[in-house]
Amino acid sequence: MSTIAQILNHAETSCRASGAKLTEKRKRVLTGLLKSQKALSAYELIDILQKEFDESPPAMSVYRILEFLESENLVHKLHLANKYVACSHISCAHEHEVPQFLICDQCGNVKEIGIKKSLINTLKRNVEESGYVLQSPQLELHCLCQECA
């Protein structure tokens, strides 16, 4: 299992390869998500930054950082909860399945799983046959983790 420092190094290399920069503030936000292992809102991240780094950035700055991290595939936005979670595949170099999220309604832990692209393509076809257009293949499943069940 990778340490946070290893994950940050990989994230920095990935950003550099795409022509972007993982600044110190971006690293701090990503670190907060990596340490929590839960989905966090921008305001929860501000609280973490205050406690860990004695820094209270404006919410708009944190949202911009989260948008950047999402665009670099380092975090995922959970739309139903309006929270963010670190991608569990930051340090992987191979192709992944479509990410889906299991969210424990009791403790808030989030687990990222992959669903085969063929299943998502079937879902997309079913949606289109119903006269709709799939905007996002991301599924957020509300569950109970084994500890809470």
Side-chain angles (χ1 to χ4, degrees):
M1 181 163 261
S2 298
T3 67
I4 289 177
Q6 291 170 322
I7 293 169
L8 290 174
N9 284 338
H10 191 277
E12 196 166 27
T13 301
S14 176
C15 286
R16 204 175 311 116
S18 69
K21 185 174 181 181
L22 191 63
T23 64
E24 200 56 43
K25 289 181 182 185
R26 291 170 176 169
K27 283 182 190 177
R28 288 178 182 163
V29 170
L30 183 56
T31 298
L33 287 170
L34 289 166
K35 284 184 176 180
S36 88
Q37 298 183 347
K38 293 183 180 187
L40 299 173
S41 70
Y43 294 96
E44 290 167 322
L45 281 163
I46 291 169
D47 290 343
I48 288 172
L49 294 172
Q50 175 63 45
K51 289 175 189 166
E52 294 227 1
F53 303 105
D54 198 29
E55 177 182 323
S56 291
M60 189 51 76
S61 294
V62 174
Y63 278 115
R64 279 195 294 271
I65 289 170
L66 289 166
E67 283 179 16
F68 168 82
L69 295 172
E70 186 179 15
S71 73
E72 293 294 319
N73 298 314
L74 301 174
V75 304
H76 299 287
K77 182 176 183 180
L78 302 180
H79 296 281
L80 294 177
N82 198 28
K83 293 186 176 190
Y84 296 81
V85 63
C87 178
S88 63
H89 302 288
I90 291 175
S91 297
C92 299
H94 59 276
E95 179 132 357
H96 295 98
E97 297 171 320
V98 179
Q100 308 303 314
F101 302 94
L102 307 178
I103 305 165
C104 180
D105 287 334
Q106 186 95 16
C107 68
N109 281 338
V110 177
K111 180 170 183 153
E112 181 178 340
I113 62 170
I115 292 184
K116 296 193 182 312
K117 291 178 183 173
S118 61
L119 181 59
I120 295 299
N121 289 337
T122 300
L123 177 63
K124 183 179 178 193
R125 263 193 318 280
N126 290 343
V127 167
E128 289 170 354
E129 289 170 4
S130 298
Y132 286 80
V133 177
L134 184 64
Q135 294 293 305
S136 170
Q138 179 174 303
L139 297 175
E140 299 170 23
L141 304 173
H142 291 266
C143 312
L144 288 176
C145 67
Q146 286 186 338
E147 288 183 33
C148 293

